[in-house]
Amino acid sequence: MATVTLNNIRKNYGSLEVVKGVDLEIRDREFIVLVGPSGCGKTTLLRMIAGLETITSGDLAIDGKRVNDVQPDERGLAMVFQSYALYPHMSVADNMGFALRMAGVPKAERQSKVRDAARILQLEPYLDRRPGQLSGGQRQRVAIGRAIVRNPKVFLFDEPLSNLDAALRMQMRIELARLHHELDATMIYVTHDQVEAMTLADRIVVVNGGRIEQVGAPMEIYANPVSTFVAGFIGAPKMNLLAGKLQCTSDAAQAILEDGSAVTLPTRPGLANGDAITIGIRPEALRVTADGSLAGRVTVVEHLGGETLTHIELASGQLATVKTDERAPAKVGQTVRLGVDPRRLHLFGPDGRAVSRRSEALQPG
Amino acid sequence: MERPLTQRIFAAVAGWGLAIIMFFPILWMAMTAFKREPEAIASPPLIFFEPTLRNFEQVLDRADYLHFFFNSVIVSVGSTLLGLAVGLPAAYALAFHPGKRAKDLLVWMLSTKMMPAVGVLVPIYLMFKSAGLLDSRIGLVVLYMLVNLPIIIWMLFTFFREVPREILEAARLDGARPLRQFIHLLIPLTAPGIASTALLSIILAWNEAFWSINLTVSNATPLTAFIASFSSPQGLFWAKLSAASLLAIGPILVFGWITQRQLVRGLTFGAVK
Ligand SMILES: Nc1ncnc2c1ncn2[C@@H]1O[C@H](COP(=O)(O)OP(=O)(O)O)[C@@H](O)[C@H]1O
Ligand SMILES: [Mg+2]
């Protein structure tokens, strides 16, 4: 059982505010992923939860108990650092058993717990080695093993896969997902990689500039991003975001892009005629079609095997990406027209907030 | 990587040249120690002579060498241990929990070493006098500790800074508070650095002469005062002075020789890691 509650958490370094009031309710056994660009305050937030950084203001509670002033080792959590932070002069077994040793657990019990964790992580052949004699992936596993041995209520991960190569990263991602099922613990995972967020999370927390932009299940966030920031950050390749002006007539609404081309909107957004509007189109929702409302020239075609990305420079000068199955819809240099299904459009107002969610966003709290 | 031959020859000549220039005075002193007094001041200087142990006999006859020797050991080792006891926690705080002024503090501490010691001779002498520390080993231990503390802290700080902060933070989460972080992580991880700091402190304290000559009379006199005692009343006797000097620096030379690998390893610790 472990819930973690953040209530208006703030962090200042001198006069610089890096975490600007974060509210978050993390449920028991949830795999929560904090995702955001580098420098947005994810690590700081995680370190405050761990107790390595003081909380400037706000309340942090674990299982309903305020822990702002509780020592890190008494919060019942374990952390896996981005750099792994293994003890270089100790064997793998000693690394993993260190916390138990500090807690005064008898040697025999310590060894059996270390062996259990090593088995889960396939580290048994390496127990006598030093961290320096291991590969990156193995070190990563030792770092996770060190956390597992302590049997914590909450696991904290700070970009644990960022130092691994792409193949290993994918493998470890799957392993982490498996571990979460096996261990049944609450996990708080920080990453700047939206793929990790999408694949691992029960719920994603999108962080931007020290604030939470959006919280939700991966597909919920993917389907309904509340802002251009979230829309651009979640999903690969990025959502196409095209700026224009709103033009409403008695029976229809259109977005007029910079080159004058008009995109029909599904509904009439609650904005004034002439307001700036940004339309968002996922690359897979954009089609090359003869009667499309947008025109552009193909600049690059990327064949990824199962899918193909076609990059197009629109007449307005903006760039758009079209995602299709293996076949490219056009050749480089060709001029094409692009069509959009109005129902798959995302609309964002002048402030960058999603228009369809406007009424929610205005509610207090 | 092979350097061109001319470069290697130049490096060898320069290296040996420097080494000989630095070593020559010590060699000359060692030779003088085995000469008779007239030979010692002969002009032109003698390179070949019949060695004698008379100077050593006379020197050891006139003064209780062991008394000075033990004072030197007590004072240099004692001040070093005390220096580590103060310096280790100080360097830990500066390296891992630095305040806003940590860097300034370090520079300030080191800058005290730029002041000539004689500038504070009178106040220190008066303080020692009123505290009853004149001619006491305790007084020298404390003073040498203070004199070498900036260097001890500075060195330990640079070694500690090499230890990734996150390792200590991981230990913190694993339940190791500062004392245990010291015992289980910092000391084993920086042992070569701590050892070379200690060695350097011992050597510096052993060779310190200004304070020992000015603050001790007989009870607490270390070997540097032993040398000085041969340069005084009846005028200079080069051979005996050299013999006394050789006896004084002999132990530390041997000590330095034995520990030089350790010393070099520690001093280049950060670079090779
Ligand atoms: N100890 C510190 N002192 C001052 N500023 C800091 C400190 N730690 C982090 N910051 C600043 O706080 C912001 C957030 O940092 P961080 O939490 O590491 O971001 P992220 O992990 O999302 O990349 C950054 O702008 C960073 O420069
Ligand atoms: Mg970070």
Side-chain angles (χ1 to χ4, degrees), chain B residues 1-14:
Chain B
M1 196 185 62
E2 274 289 284
R3 298 232 184 98
L5 186 66
T6 49
Q7 218 177 3
R8 275 176 19 225
I9 290 174
F10 178 77
V13 169

Side-chain angles (χ1 to χ4, degrees), chain A residues 323-342:
Chain A
K323 183 165 130 184
T324 51
D325 55 12
E326 5 351 329
R327 273 182 338 107
K331 290 198 176 62
V332 173
Q334 209 177 332
T335 304
V336 294
R337 296 202 72 82
L338 298 172
V340 194
D341 178 351

Side-chain angles (χ1 to χ4, degrees), chain A residues 64-82:
Chain A
K65 197 175 128 259
R66 189 175 185 274
V67 293
N68 286 45
D69 305 313
V70 175
Q71 293 286 343
D73 54 311
E74 288 164 1
R75 295 187 184 192
L77 28 82
M79 181 155 169
V80 176
F81 291 82
Q82 184 168 3

Side-chain angles (χ1 to χ4, degrees), chain B residues 8-9 13 37 58 85 97 104 109 114 118 121 136 180 193 207 211 222 234 251 263:
Chain B
R8 275 176 19 225
I9 290 174
V13 169
E37 288 297 348
Q58 286 182 353
H97 304 283
D104 299 346
M109 281 193 306
M114 296 168 197
V118 70
L121 175 60
S136 74
R180 288 168 132 192
N207 293 335
W211 292 111
Q234 314 91 336
L263 202 57

Side-chain angles (χ1 to χ4, degrees), chain A residues 311-327:
Chain A
H311 301 278
I312 293 161
E313 187 180 342
L314 299 178
S316 61
Q318 291 169 302
L319 296 175
T321 304
V322 177
K323 183 165 130 184
T324 51
D325 55 12
E326 5 351 329
R327 273 182 338 107

Side-chain angles (χ1 to χ4, degrees), chain A residues 47 50 52 71-74 77 79 81-83 85-90 95 98-99 101-102 146 150, chain B residues 100 164-177 180-181 183-189 273:
Chain A
R47 288 170 56 86
L52 295 172
Q71 293 286 343
D73 54 311
E74 288 164 1
L77 28 82
M79 181 155 169
F81 291 82
Q82 184 168 3
S83 61
L86 300 177
Y87 312 131
H89 59 302
M90 295 184 199
N95 262 277
F98 187 71
R101 188 165 151 218
M102 290 297 104
R146 192 169 61 180
R150 293 178 49 197
Chain B
K100 273 204 190 69
R165 221 187 141 96
E166 293 194 332
I167 288 183
L168 293 195
E169 289 175 344
R172 182 74 201 79
L173 282 167
D174 276 349
R177 307 260 164 103
R180 288 168 132 192
Q181 292 173 18
I183 295 169
H184 294 289
L185 294 160
L186 272 182
I187 290 179
L189 284 174
K273 210 170 67 164

Side-chain angles (χ1 to χ4, degrees), chain A residues 42-43 82 158-159 190:
Chain A
K42 309 176 297 286
T43 297
Q82 184 168 3
D158 189 5
E159 311 220 10
V190 159

